[in-house]
């Protein structure tokens, strides 16, 4: 029998999850839940109901795993603990500093309900975290480096849009190529914030706005831009709509470490992602961990887990025998 | 209390394991076992006994995990099932085609003894396998690529040394840069064996040997060289000893996959290793999995496992709380 998936929230992540479930031979989409009027939400999968979130409890026995496609700022801290009391749940909570608190809340709910919940699935946190943990365990004497980009930072784009006179804006985070190369060559550089990433802004200004003032406000904005080398381009709305709607992203995780009697041997572990669609890659991770969650639930496990707690084989629809014969 | 490690075999892997245990704050080396006369084996760690393998059974209660540092051709298929009846065991068995059989033998022994044994720990199989499984689970619609090198292939070097008139030889496997680039650019190329790797041989010939005949025999050798573009360099014994003693290796694992309503988005996952010492990196992996094996044993697990069956957190000496706060 297929694993029955519920999707909560139908924005970019919800749509990506729907596509990922369609690719999974062992899963079926059971329902999409929305806070909007369900009659206004058109989904891709034929014959699957769109249900108002207020009726979700009626689906307790009809869904094996609920994938919660909400935002980390305000949705997930409330939603995941709430729904972990009813369902095995997956989320992509990505506010690193608040993970311990979110973990504790979800863990209490999932343990009470004897369900499995997996939080912070995606690429960072997620695949990047896995690589940090594996690489640290293997090379205890070493240094970690994480670079992000080239890709859009939602938070930085929002910050630029809040400046007076700005109509629209996108901010790209770009890793500094020479820093990447120094790490790759085993130079173990000490890198300041400025030496690791640059920031590039594409801004549509209101007619008659003071461009010099806007550029200065961006470049001097504390926390967001003041520690970086930032380039600002003013462009037309037309160009913005044509060239800056993409959701590509990516990044690099390195560990550079030493072994040997006299630490004479250097080793570089590099993991990198180049993603045409940040949300669709994230949702593919969510769906792989949904598979793991339901298996772990069936084995009697319960409580909150992260990617660090889950054996890789749980993510694959292949059996242990198949994996050992073909992928090990 | 520290985890007490035994090392069986004191060649390159045994010495690397000794260094890796020294780096681990939660482990201590209890004994080194050898088939040689123990008085002829000098180890680095002071105060640790070197014991003849025939007396290993006396150490059953004095060792938590035995790391078996033998060869995959003849040692490990016999040793790991044998010692899994006495100890939690780790090996680096790397003959891909024989893993299912080795797994079955070790599993039977370890289950009988209620011990945990982890086989095929290293980088391929090992870290590369992990990356293949994670990437396949996340991007089900895609293609895998594994490249090895630049590094020495022991099997190919041995094959060249068996040619009449060859005194010594090293064979380097080199990934083809243009093939790497095509994969990295998301071109999803179909690559023949010849298009993925080249082979480079450094040969010391016997005095008066027919160099043209040796070169021809190498390049036409079935299975080993005939499907590759091979370069042969004849060098002096002095140059060989000076420049070809290194044990550097490495490689690349890619998954290139598509998502989207019309499969319009491409994603590239790349994992690469650049290792100054192939054996020392391998032994660092062995020691990380020794930590996992003993934890799993204490939790009551038993039987044979591979890297695919082990949650990443088991490899780290840090607690779940620390990992979630700092590495997730």
């Amino acid at each position: 029998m297929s694993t029955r998936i519920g999707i909560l929230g139908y924005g970019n992540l919800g749509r990506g999850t729907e596509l990922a479930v369609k690719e999974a031979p062992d899963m079926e989409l059971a329902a999409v839940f929305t806070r909007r009027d369900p009659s206004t939400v058109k989904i891709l999968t034929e014959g699957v109901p769109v249900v108002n979130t207020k009726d979700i409890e009626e689906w307790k026995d009809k869904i094996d795993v609920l994938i919660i496609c909400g935002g980390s700022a305000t949705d997930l801290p409330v939603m995941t603990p709430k729904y972990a009391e009813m369902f095995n749940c997956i989320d992509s909570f990505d506010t690193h500093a608040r993970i311990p608190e979110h973990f504790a809340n979800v863990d209490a709910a999932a343990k009470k309900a004897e369900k499995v919940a997996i939080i912070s699935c995606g690429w960072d946190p997620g695949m990047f975290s896995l690589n940090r943990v594996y690489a640290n365990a293997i090379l205890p004497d070493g240094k970690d480096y994480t670079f992000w980009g080239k890709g859009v930072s939602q938070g930085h784009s929002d910050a630029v849009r809040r400046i007076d006179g700005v109509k629209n804006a996108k901010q790209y985070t770009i890793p500094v190529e020479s820093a990447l190369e120094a790490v790759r060559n085993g130079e173990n550089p000490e890198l300041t914030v400025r030496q690791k990433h640059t920031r590039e802004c594409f801004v549509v200004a209101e007619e008659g706005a003071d461009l010099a003032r806007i550029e200065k406000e961006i470049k001097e904005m504390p926390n967001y831009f003041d520690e970086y080398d930032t380039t600002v381009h003013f462009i037309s709305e037309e160009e913005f709509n044509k060239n800056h709607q993409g959701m590509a992203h990516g990044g690099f995780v390195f560990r550079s470490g030493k072994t040997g009697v006299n630490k004479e041997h250097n080793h570089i572990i590099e993991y990198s992602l180049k993603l045409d669609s940040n949300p669709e890659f994230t949702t593919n991770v969510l769906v792989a961990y949904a598979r793991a969650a339901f298996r772990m639930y069936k084995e009697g496990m319960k409580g909150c887990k992260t990617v660090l707690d889950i054996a890789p084989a749980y993510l694959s629809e292949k059996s242990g025998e198949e994996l050992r014969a073909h992928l090990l």
Side-chain angles (χ1 to χ4, degrees), chain A:
Chain A
M1 204 179 94
S2 290
T3 301
R4 299 164 302 175
I5 302 292
I7 295 174
L8 175 53
Y10 198 70
N12 284 330
L13 286 179
R15 280 190 293 271
T17 301
E18 183 182 18
L19 294 172
V21 170
K22 206 186 286 258
E23 285 291 315
D26 55 341
M27 296 186 183
E28 60 179 85
L29 184 60
V32 170
F33 300 94
T34 178
R35 289 176 288 196
R36 293 179 268 168
D37 172 356
S39 70
T40 66
V41 177
K42 286 273 158 290
I43 69 169
L44 283 170
T45 317
E46 280 181 38
V48 170
V50 179
V51 179
N52 193 290
T53 310
K54 71 177 168 41
D55 299 323
I56 197 167
E57 204 160 350
E58 295 164 22
W59 288 78
K60 268 182 75 165
D61 301 320
K62 289 181 274 186
I63 281 174
D64 298 315
V65 186
L66 182 70
I67 301 181
I68 307 180
C69 298
S72 294
T74 55
D75 294 338
L76 298 176
V78 178
M79 286 178 166
T80 314
K82 176 172 174 185
Y83 296 113
E85 291 197 1
M86 303 177 208
F87 300 98
N88 297 303
C89 287
I90 308 292
D91 81 20
S92 60
F93 185 76
D94 68 359
T95 312
H96 282 87
R98 296 186 59 195
I99 287 175
E101 170 194 345
H102 187 54
F103 181 91
N105 294 339
V106 175
D107 193 46
K111 280 196 175 133
K112 195 171 131 196
E114 306 200 330
K115 299 285 184 187
V116 171
I118 310 178
I119 61 163
S120 302
C121 300
W123 56 276
D124 194 5
M127 293 300 112
F128 277 16
S129 324
L130 286 179
N131 277 280
R132 286 188 282 261
V133 169
Y134 279 121
N136 272 267
I138 294 168
L139 295 174
D141 183 5
K143 270 173 80 74
D144 291 309
Y145 297 90
T146 301
F147 293 86
W148 296 275
K150 183 185 173 178
V152 172
S153 163
Q154 213 47 67
H156 287 77
S157 301
D158 290 347
V160 175
R161 278 194 290 266
R162 283 192 297 264
I163 292 174
D164 196 44
V166 171
K167 204 168 164 189
N168 213 341
K170 274 274 161 73
Q171 193 271 180
Y172 298 91
T173 306
I174 305 165
V176 174
E177 197 57 47
S178 60
L180 284 175
E181 278 311 306
V183 173
R184 218 170 254 144
N185 293 334
E187 295 168 25
N188 295 314
E190 295 289 339
L191 297 167
T192 63
V193 161
R194 189 179 301 274
Q195 288 168 325
K196 287 183 70 187
H197 297 94
T198 56
R199 299 196 177 279
E200 191 169 19
C201 304
F202 292 84
V203 179
V204 182
E206 307 275 6
E207 225 181 286
D210 179 349
L211 305 188
R213 192 247 324 142
I214 292 175
E215 180 164 346
K216 187 167 183 289
E217 279 193 40
I218 294 173
K219 290 185 171 178
E220 296 177 355
M221 195 185 295
N223 304 317
Y224 286 87
F225 291 98
D226 60 341
E227 290 185 62
Y228 295 87
D229 290 331
T230 302
T231 318
V232 178
H233 308 275
F234 291 98
I235 60 173
S236 68
E237 190 147 24
E238 190 190 356
E239 189 185 335
F240 188 90
N241 292 335
K242 189 170 154 224
N243 297 330
H244 298 283
Q245 300 304 319
M247 292 191 279
H249 216 315
F252 304 80
V253 175
F254 292 90
R255 178 116 180 133
S256 177
K258 296 195 173 300
T259 64
V261 176
N262 301 305
K263 299 292 171 100
E264 67 276 26
H265 296 134
N266 202 69
H267 307 275
I268 312 279
I269 303 174
E270 175 175 352
Y271 179 81
S272 72
L273 296 174
K274 201 163 68 183
L275 312 175
D276 278 356
S277 167
N278 181 356
E280 287 178 8
F281 187 84
T282 299
T283 54
N284 275 34
V285 177
L286 287 169
V287 168
Y289 279 97
R291 179 178 293 123
F294 191 50
R295 285 189 176 163
M296 294 165 80
Y297 168 75
K298 285 190 289 185
E299 291 182 8
M301 301 187 206
K302 52 187 182 251
C304 189
K305 314 281 175 193
T306 76
V307 298
L308 306 179
D309 305 309
I310 293 163
Y314 280 109
L315 304 183
S316 174
E317 89 284 4
K318 295 187 178 69
S319 69
E321 290 74 19
E322 285 177 282
L323 292 175
R324 284 190 292 275
H326 303 296
L327 289 171
L328 191 70

